[in-house]
Amino acid sequence: MEIERKYLLSEEQLSLLVPNKNNFVLETRYYLYCKDDKEIRFTKRGAESFTLDRMEVLQDQTDEYFVRRKERITITEDEFMTHVKTIGDQQPVERRHFKLNDQIELKVYQGGRSGLIRAEVEFESIEEAKRYTPTFEHSGEITNTPIGRDVLLAHLNKDEIKQLLALRS
């Protein structure tokens, strides 16, 4: 089970957390299926890590946290490339990823989604997620917004993303 809260960061706020961004890893993600709070996605991390995930929302979304079940399998590069061929002209969600610690991951989006920087905080329990207060500067919580979920972000164009980011500034 995955329990998360997500926060929007500015470049300046990101620099306070991670002054040197050389250790960020590029992730490229596509979606095979998105319907009824279920998704099947496949991801390339760096040059040699490929996964296929099935995600399912387990609890109604709130502004405070997000709960879902995640099933992950490792796939080969050939399997990844075969999936890429099946999804047509879908543009991938590309981001640079950095694990700050065991609880917080930072994600800096690329291409048409540039300008979006997220801190994602994972929890062991819903109670822990409800009690959590960030210890880092941020520009607002975006847990259950279109810019807080990659599956929703994948369907937004560059202008829609800029408009949503402007609303949060």
Side-chain angles (χ1 to χ4, degrees):
M1 185 163 50
E2 184 176 75
I3 304 167
E4 291 182 323
R5 291 180 67 180
K6 300 177 183 184
Y7 300 89
L8 184 64
L9 300 177
S10 67
E11 273 291 338
E12 296 78 26
Q13 291 163 334
L14 177 65
S15 292
L16 292 173
L17 292 169
V18 184
N20 180 354
K21 303 192 187 49
N22 291 333
N23 292 325
F24 279 62
V25 174
L26 181 63
E27 293 183 335
T28 304
R29 175 170 290 158
Y30 295 91
Y31 289 85
L32 288 172
Y33 178 85
C34 305
K35 189 175 178 184
D36 300 327
D37 286 332
K38 295 178 180 75
E39 64 190 71
I40 298 174
R41 65 190 192 189
F42 57 102
T43 306
K44 176 182 179 181
R45 286 177 188 79
E48 299 179 9
S49 176
F50 305 90
T51 58
L52 179 69
D53 298 322
R54 181 184 182 279
M55 312 293 281
E56 179 179 4
V57 173
L58 296 179
Q59 186 167 346
D60 288 343
Q61 300 169 20
T62 70
D63 289 337
E64 296 178 348
Y65 58 87
F66 181 69
V67 182
R68 62 186 175 181
R69 176 186 359 255
K70 177 172 27 177
E71 301 169 75
R72 174 171 282 171
I73 62 169
T74 300
I75 60 175
T76 66
E77 182 175 11
D78 186 50
E79 291 169 318
F80 178 86
M81 294 310 297
T82 299
H83 286 306
V84 169
K85 292 174 188 171
T86 67
I87 50 104
D89 62 353
Q90 180 188 130
Q91 293 300 305
V93 174
E94 292 185 308
R95 62 194 188 184
R96 300 198 63 77
H97 173 267
F98 182 78
K99 192 164 178 105
L100 188 62
N101 57 41
D102 288 339
Q103 188 179 28
I104 300 173
E105 295 180 5
L106 305 172
K107 299 182 178 173
V108 180
Y109 288 77
Q110 309 293 297
R113 296 167 183 91
S114 65
L116 174 58
I117 304 170
R118 283 196 324 224
E120 299 185 0
V121 185
E122 294 195 16
F123 305 95
E124 296 291 323
S125 70
I126 291 170
E127 294 75 26
E128 181 185 5
K130 286 180 179 181
R131 287 190 312 265
Y132 180 74
T133 301
T135 57
F136 53 87
E137 279 190 48
H138 61 88
S139 301
E141 184 159 2
I142 57 170
T143 299
N144 285 304
T145 69
I147 57 175
R149 294 189 57 201
D150 282 351
V151 68
L152 301 176
L153 188 62
H155 300 289
L156 298 175
N157 65 41
K158 185 178 185 175
D159 291 333
E160 292 169 321
I161 293 166
K162 284 188 180 205
Q163 184 178 18
L164 289 168
L165 288 172
L167 291 172
R168 294 285 177 170
S169 300

